[in-house]
Amino acid sequence: MGLLLGCNKLCSATVDCRRILYDKETNLCSLYDQGEHCLIDEDVTDKVCYRLQYICGDVDCERCPIGYYGDKCQHVIEDCTDGAQKNVVPKIKGISSFIRPLNSLRVIEVWCDFKFDGWTFILTRDVTNPETNFNRTWKDYANGFGHKEANHWLGLENLHNILQNHPSIKLKMFIRYGSPERSGTGYYHGFYVEDVDDNYRLSISSFDDKTSAPVGDSLINGSYSINGRPFSTYDRDYSNNDCPGRFGSGWWFLDDPVCSRANVNGRRSGDNFESTWHWLDNLGYRTDLLRLTMKFTRVDEEYPIP
């Protein structure tokens, strides 16, 4: 216990340390500056991860967990945009942070981009990390799954709660693909997701491809728009066409044999094109995606929910 106490003191004395991994067999410890847990590739037997709560003196706190602020770390940011606007978080593009949505009593941990405006991530997929199974149950998609800094789904319940913070939200799609590598982006305005009683129904007001490398609109394009659709999984399917089974993923699928013009939650290498991750518009039938993210931020303009 004395050596563990020494590790705790070392973390407290090290700038930006917020977690330690203690090996009970070797009595060695590793320091981490962020994350929901201690990530390692080796055997976790006899290893325990501890999280720093806070460091406070008689007057104020020298270091709060990321997302907490105030003289006694008594406040929590509402989302990643809130943290960036209040200037109480590190200006880092990818980092784990605690948030507490405005209408929620529960503090959750999310992946943030604090460098530009403050973006909260819904989905992160990257081929440099081991593949995560996205063919999950309704409960999994509601609660969220994966590792926030690798392959990750925020969770529909968390998403709905966070979206209550502000009346106008912009969604950003980012896709990196091909060899040599290229990338594209697209923005959706008026992004909103209803609660579980309405099956997390999706609302999007408009698409904006005014970027230097537009990725194309595969969400609300013409007759294949998924605007207004409820979420579907293989154990709770509202598509009437076995879309979750055919695409091998959960999504806001159409009530149509086409299902969707995108499969961002599909496998990297599925049994066929449908079940492999893809984004039809502008990318066509290519499946050589390398990185895909969905994230959102608050905006000043108001886009009424359709």
Side-chain angles (χ1 to χ4, degrees):
M1 183 58 72
L3 291 171
L4 174 58
L5 180 60
C7 288
N8 290 335
K9 290 181 177 179
L10 178 62
C11 182
S12 298
T14 303
V15 175
D16 289 336
C17 176
R18 286 179 169 83
R19 296 180 193 273
I20 62 169
L21 182 70
Y22 179 67
D23 190 322
K24 293 185 288 185
E25 183 174 339
T26 64
N27 292 318
L28 297 176
C29 57
S30 302
L31 308 186
Y32 294 81
D33 64 350
Q34 57 173 291
E36 59 179 328
H37 43 60
C38 303
L39 290 176
I40 56 173
D41 296 327
E42 58 196 86
D43 186 9
V44 297
T45 305
D46 296 323
K47 297 180 176 65
V48 184
C49 188
Y50 295 91
R51 177 167 64 87
L52 177 72
Q53 295 296 322
Y54 52 80
I55 298 178
C56 294
D58 295 333
V59 179
D60 56 20
C61 294
E62 300 173 9
R63 191 187 320 156
C64 299
I66 296 173
Y68 283 81
Y69 65 99
D71 57 356
K72 294 295 181 183
C73 301
Q74 70 270 37
H75 303 299
V76 189
I77 61 175
E78 297 170 2
D79 55 34
C80 303
T81 311
D82 185 46
Q85 291 177 346
K86 285 186 168 75
N87 198 28
V88 294
V89 291
K91 297 294 184 181
I92 296 176
K93 189 172 183 179
I95 192 170
S96 186
S97 175
F98 293 100
I99 69 168
R100 181 167 56 209
L102 188 61
N103 295 325
S104 175
L105 298 176
R106 190 167 69 93
V107 175
I108 59 176
E109 202 165 7
V110 300
W111 195 250
C112 291
D113 176 353
F114 287 130
K115 192 172 183 180
F116 304 106
D117 302 324
W119 295 78
T120 306
F121 283 80
I122 302 171
L123 172 68
T124 303
R125 301 195 63 187
D126 196 307
V127 297
T128 60
N129 296 293
E131 184 162 16
T132 297
N133 177 24
F134 278 76
N135 191 17
R136 311 288 279 252
T137 65
W138 175 270
K139 183 177 180 180
D140 286 341
Y141 269 100
N143 295 335
F145 55 86
H147 297 300
K148 293 174 178 60
E149 60 281 358
N151 294 294
H152 158 249
W153 176 262
L154 172 64
L156 293 164
E157 190 64 24
N158 291 332
L159 176 57
H160 169 76
N161 289 334
I162 299 170
L163 292 176
Q164 308 305 302
N165 291 339
H166 194 73
S168 188
I169 299 293
K170 177 169 65 175
L171 173 73
K172 178 180 180 179
M173 294 294 312
F174 170 83
I175 302 177
R176 183 182 299 134
Y177 60 94
S179 179
E181 291 186 12
R182 288 171 283 175
S183 62
T185 58
Y187 296 91
Y188 291 89
H189 295 276
F191 175 71
Y192 188 73
V193 172
E194 298 288 350
D195 63 15
V196 64
D197 292 335
D198 202 10
N199 301 307
Y200 301 114
R201 192 175 303 274
L202 175 69
S203 293
I204 297 175
S205 294
S206 61
F207 172 69
D208 179 5
D209 64 353
K210 296 180 178 65
T211 67
S212 58
V215 77
D217 175 18
S218 288
L219 300 188
I220 58 171
N221 190 352
S223 60
Y224 296 119
S225 170
I226 62 172
N227 188 35
R229 292 298 302 158
F231 202 85
S232 287
T233 56
Y234 69 80
D235 61 340
R236 192 161 169 173
D237 184 9
Y238 296 99
S239 72
N240 297 312
N241 289 277
D242 188 31
C243 294
R246 289 163 47 196
F247 278 56
S249 62
W251 190 243
W252 292 278
F253 289 113
L254 295 166
D255 183 358
D256 185 282
V258 171
C259 295
S260 173
R261 291 184 62 80
N263 187 6
V264 299
N265 291 330
R267 290 168 55 193
R268 295 178 191 169
S269 181
D271 297 331
N272 50 39
F273 176 74
E274 273 190 339
S275 62
T276 304
W277 61 345
H278 63 265
W279 184 272
L280 273 174
D281 293 270
N282 283 24
L283 300 189
Y285 287 90
R286 67 187 311 150
T287 58
D288 56 343
L289 309 188
L290 302 173
R291 179 172 174 81
L292 187 152
T293 62
M294 294 174 62
K295 59 184 180 180
F296 63 90
T297 189
R298 304 180 185 186
V299 291
D300 294 332
E301 317 96 280
E302 288 200 24
Y303 293 83
I305 297 172

